[in-house]
Amino acid sequence: MENKAIKVENLTFRYPDAESDTLKNISFELDYGEVLGIIGPNGAGKTTLAMALKGLIPHTVDGEIQGKIIVDGKDVLKHDISEQVLNSGLVFQDPEGQLSQMSVEEEVAFGLGNIGVPRAEMVKRIEKALQTVGLAGFEKRSPLALSGGQQQRLAIASVMAMEPSIMMMDEPTTMLDPVGKNEVFKVLKSLKEKGMTGVIIEHEIERLTMYCDKILVLHEGESILFGTPKEIFSDLMLLKKFKLRGPQVTEVAYEVFNDKEQIPVVLDEAVQSFSKELKA
Amino acid sequence: MNSMYVQGNSFLHQLDPRTKILFVFSIILFVFLFYDPMFQFLVTVSLLPIVFLSGLTTPYLKTVKFMFLLVFLIITVHGLYNPMGDVTKVTWQLTENLSFKHDALIYGAVMSFRILSIGTATLLFVMSTHPSDLANALVKWKVPHAVAFMILSTFQLIPIIGREAKVIMEAQQARCLDVKANMIQRVKHLIPLFAPLFITSFMRVHQMSQVLECRGFSSTGPKTSLREMTIGFRDYAFLTAIALFALAAITLRAVVGGTLLPITDFVLMSALIGIWIVCSIYFFDFLWKSVRKKVV
Amino acid sequence: MSAFLRVENLTHIYPGKIKALESINLEIGEGEVVAVLGRNGSGKTTLVKHFNGLLKPTKGNVWIGDMNAKKHSVAKLSAKVGYVFQNSNHQTFLPSVEQELRYGCENIGLDEETIQERVERVTELFQLEDILETNPFDLNSTQRKEVGMASILAIEPKVIVLDEPTTGQDHAGSERIKEVITMLKEQGHIVILVTHDMQLVGELDCRVVVISNGKKLADGAAREVFKDKAMLKEASLEPPQVMTLAEQLTSFGVNDHVLTVEEMIKEYKRVKKLDINKQLQTS
């Protein structure tokens, strides 16, 4: 078996008492070092998929699950979540709801303590994690006294310190203001540069395309598209049919460029290709 | 601040939480061994130097005023109305049919100083112990990890729920709910305020449980902690002192009995008037501050 | 006639002497849509909370029609200024959508007939016919938001404050909320948005008020205000992506006035056509 970070095969899930499946026959693969973005309308099953990848489904949430999920070489369905903390970590949407400790450093230490990381090692990891998310110097503060963006960065640091192979984030910026969003995206960028393997669910499509190698489009539990951002957005009409949109620059380019293969997905690229077109 | 913990580096702060828990228990033991207001008063007073030395004077004085309000009510109401003991033995006749009775006043004074001394000891403990250390101490005493976490997270949850309650209150007022209506109406209004609060709190706790799973909360094997805790020389010295006091107290109780000295009317009057004076100081302080706030 | 909503020299100081707003002046007239922009903690929420009396001015006055907000209770003012909270869970608690819609009307003591009439009106407006019996907690987030808005609208306030209406909404949900806002505007309501969603503001093409550190930094049409890059930076705001694209293409004759994707497409085609004409002329 080749070494894949995530391998999902024919994943189907139904909540108890639900009339239909929330996830329908989903399959995809992700390599190490790649970041996957999951997009789709509300109710498409994005969060459910993230919970399944993390193993919260089926280990803490009941339901009928079929198919196979291998994350970092481990069969998620067969191992309890506590056995998977080194394989994957999940950052949730609500920043404050993830914080339970009395100070910033203890928040990061909490997960480490649970898995029995020795104290000396703990101190080192806390320092490194807080450094990465730009919260060095905040060690003694109460997590409740932080801004939303700082809280979310703390949540990321707490997951990161446990050093999971794969980072998963479920709409980490949705509840933040523009400043908070920028702060979190900056952290994501530096993680990406360090070769993070990750899964990010995000509404803000303009930002998402800057950090993703692959995008998975969900609609009513089905995976309708999977590929690189370029591949996904070259078929904008299909996305529109599912009430989704592309980045603004992509939407403009899609309308005015003849060569659909060449449409830009991020701003810098767009400025270049538009300049080129206008010069011609 | 989420808890009543006051940062510091005093002798008391450095003690192990377990030592401090034993200390609180020993104070409870002392005050319940004897039925003597003088003794209770001495215990209370002897705790004050510790308050001062721990650098907790200001927060202590702020918090203790609520206790004084309670104590004021207890000694006054009991002294006037408690029909216990010999009701003909009067200490202070106020009007024709209103008087402070001797036995009832003893009961009121004993209760008051018990509350004050136990309260002071508990405040000393809470104010000098970081909640995380408390949780750790409990874990060391073989209290399950989950229970210790629950105690700790309560500290965190209270301010969050408080803030949430305020938002909900505003949200319902925006739907023309008149929160300043009469009493009966207000009781009816508890539903629109508490139903959303209950639901959002429930969702919060539910999510927290998932967060905890992701952080390896239920992983088996040894747990470690960032905060170091060791029982050292200080703790042994402190515990020895407590043990000696306890021994002395128990011996005294066995030999002399529950009351050490005869309780005179003078003692009782001093207790009553003393508590009144302290309470009125707090009251005037409160008045002064509210007036000043209005003016500024 | 003076504007319906007037803010005169409003200063708000929180306990602890924290100055949240300083000398704000603002007039909002009938049929206006105004987006209040600014980062968290800028004072924008403090400002709009004065409109329905949740906060009272430390200095200055807020006038809602001929009512001085200082002198009336929140419950009274809420009949004139509807406030839809960001998190529907804070406002919703009754077991059916219909009861939710009736709730505000019952609070202001309307008679049964009027309540019926209003519930029917908002039901039609938001097309809620099929879900009247449903428990709001069984609805998706867009529907729940709509129920929240509808229940406030049933009170028939002149002014509607929407706090972060598109946060957590998907594209379809945002589109729907945009439609609702346009509809409310057409009916003569004043709509005040507190939002971070610059794309929404761009597409609404509305008036914006920028608040930063308790002061009003800018007030005007989004198109004009968004041009002031230094000001946007101070307020930690970013214009819609197409606007940034247009700005970087001005050397080719692209006008940086664009707010939406559609406008950018038009603008690009205009410049391209000019180009072709020029080329034709030179050759």
Side-chain angles (χ1 to χ4, degrees), chain B residues 26 30 236-252:
Chain B
S26 66
F30 289 166
Y236 289 120
F238 197 74
L239 284 174
T240 313
I242 292 174
L244 286 178
F245 270 115
L247 201 66
I250 290 168
T251 320
L252 207 60

Side-chain angles (χ1 to χ4, degrees), chain B residues 164 167-168 170-178 191-192 195-196 199-200 203, chain C residues 49 54 74-75 78-79 83 85 89-91 93 100 103-104 107-108 137 151:
Chain B
E164 194 103 333
V167 177
I168 290 167
E170 293 182 347
Q172 297 304 342
Q173 277 179 281
R175 302 179 75 188
C176 299
L177 182 77
D178 192 358
I191 300 168
I199 291 163
T200 52
M203 285 159 71
Chain C
K49 277 187 178 170
L54 282 173
V74 181
S78 294
Y83 196 124
F85 275 64
N89 293 344
H90 288 143
Q91 262 175 328
F93 68 97
E100 281 292 334
Y103 180 73
N107 277 338
I108 51 174
F137 279 94
S151 72

Side-chain angles (χ1 to χ4, degrees), chain A residues 51 61 82 85 92 96-102 106-107 110-111 113-114 116-117 119 122 142 158 162, chain B residues 2 130-132 145 149 156 163 204 207-208 210 212-217 219 222-224 226-228:
Chain A
M51 285 168 70
V61 178
S82 58
V85 286
F92 293 71
E96 196 176 73
Q98 299 172 71
L99 307 174
S100 60
Q101 300 294 302
M102 303 295 293
E106 284 172 85
E107 190 62 52
F110 178 67
N114 284 334
V117 174
R119 197 170 169 277
M122 210 182 242
S142 162
S158 306
M162 296 175 82
Chain B
N2 315 321
H130 194 286
S132 312
H145 196 47
F149 178 82
Q156 201 77 333
R163 206 174 45 202
R204 189 177 289 279
Q207 198 205 329
M208 183 50 80
Q210 297 197 328
L212 293 182
E213 282 304 325
C214 292
R215 301 262 182 96
F217 190 67
S219 80
K223 313 259 180 199
T224 51
L226 177 65
R227 304 184 75 91
E228 250 178 336

Side-chain angles (χ1 to χ4, degrees), chain C residues 182-202:
Chain C
T182 314
M183 179 179 78
L184 293 175
K185 178 191 158 96
E186 277 161 12
Q187 293 178 351
H189 285 285
I190 294 173
V191 184
I192 296 167
L193 300 160
V194 180
T195 188
H196 299 307
D197 189 341
M198 300 295 270
Q199 201 170 325
L200 172 79
V201 175

